Amino acid sequence: MDSVKTTLIHDLAPSQPSFLLPESSGYTVIDAYHKAAFCQGCFGCWLKSPGQCVIKDSLQTVSAEIGCSQQVIILSRCCYGGFSPTVKRVLDRSIAVSLPFFTYRGGRIHHPLRYRDHPKLSVCFYGPATEFEHQTAAQVAHANGVNMGFSAVQVSFAESPEQIAEVITP
């Protein structure tokens, strides 16, 4: 049986127990809680070192990790109807999954994708949120899915981090 390359991006604090994560054997884990630089908007990942961020830290190769995966799982606190600031930083640093040109996809202008494979995206937002924030977060996740070239997007919600394993189906 072929193994599926899965990348897991999460913002769970180190103090939160690891059993909150889905079975992660063999996953590439990107801990968004870990300190890393913010995207500088320099486009170096497009022009100077294609596909790789010019900032040398733990997120330098995040675009390649996402682009070469068959599945990406994001566990994020729901913040005002979107990703937590730390998960957003990871997603901002992954703009090199696309190229610096433009194309039409779904009747809209997007950047063409750098990688041939189009992974599936599963997002689990956790924490207290209103119904409006849930709707907004789902829209944000689906929009990111289109923009980053994911083949499918699944969004789920958990009331607390302890419930993540119950609602996410990787």
Side-chain angles (χ1 to χ4, degrees):
M1 182 174 182
D2 292 330
S3 63
V4 174
K5 181 174 178 347
T6 301
T7 299
L8 173 68
I9 302 168
H10 73 88
D11 65 357
L12 297 172
S15 62
Q16 293 175 307
S18 62
F19 73 81
L20 300 176
L21 300 173
E23 172 54 45
S24 60
S25 176
Y27 288 12
T28 299
V29 178
I30 299 171
D31 182 357
Y33 200 81
H34 183 71
K35 286 197 179 264
F38 291 94
C39 178
Q40 301 299 304
C42 69
F43 302 111
C45 59
W46 278 345
L47 305 172
K48 294 179 184 173
S49 59
Q52 186 173 4
C53 184
V54 296
I55 301 170
K56 294 179 181 0
D57 64 8
S58 63
L59 297 180
Q60 186 173 22
T61 60
V62 71
S63 294
E65 291 295 338
I66 291 172
C68 295
S69 293
Q70 284 89 30
Q71 180 176 21
V72 175
I73 299 172
I74 299 176
L75 308 177
S76 175
R77 183 170 47 92
C78 187
C79 292
Y80 307 108
F83 294 107
S84 70
T86 55
V87 168
K88 173 122 174 29
R89 176 180 2 159
V90 173
L91 296 175
D92 288 348
R93 292 279 301 274
S94 67
I95 65 167
V97 297
S98 61
L99 297 168
F101 311 109
F102 293 104
T103 188
Y104 280 98
R105 278 199 323 263
R108 294 185 174 206
I109 295 178
H110 292 277
H111 293 284
L113 302 172
R114 179 179 304 278
Y115 300 97
R116 180 184 54 202
D117 295 332
H118 302 283
K120 294 179 181 175
L121 175 63
S122 295
V123 178
C124 181
F125 290 102
Y126 65 88
T130 65
E131 184 58 35
F132 181 73
E133 289 172 321
H134 281 193
Q135 291 172 1
T136 304
Q139 289 172 346
V140 166
H142 283 282
N144 276 306
V146 170
N147 204 38
M148 294 177 72
F150 289 103
S151 62
V153 179
Q154 175 188 345
V155 180
S156 55
F157 296 92
E159 289 297 315
S160 68
E162 293 75 23
Q163 295 175 333
I164 289 172
E166 297 172 23
V167 300
I168 192 161
T169 53

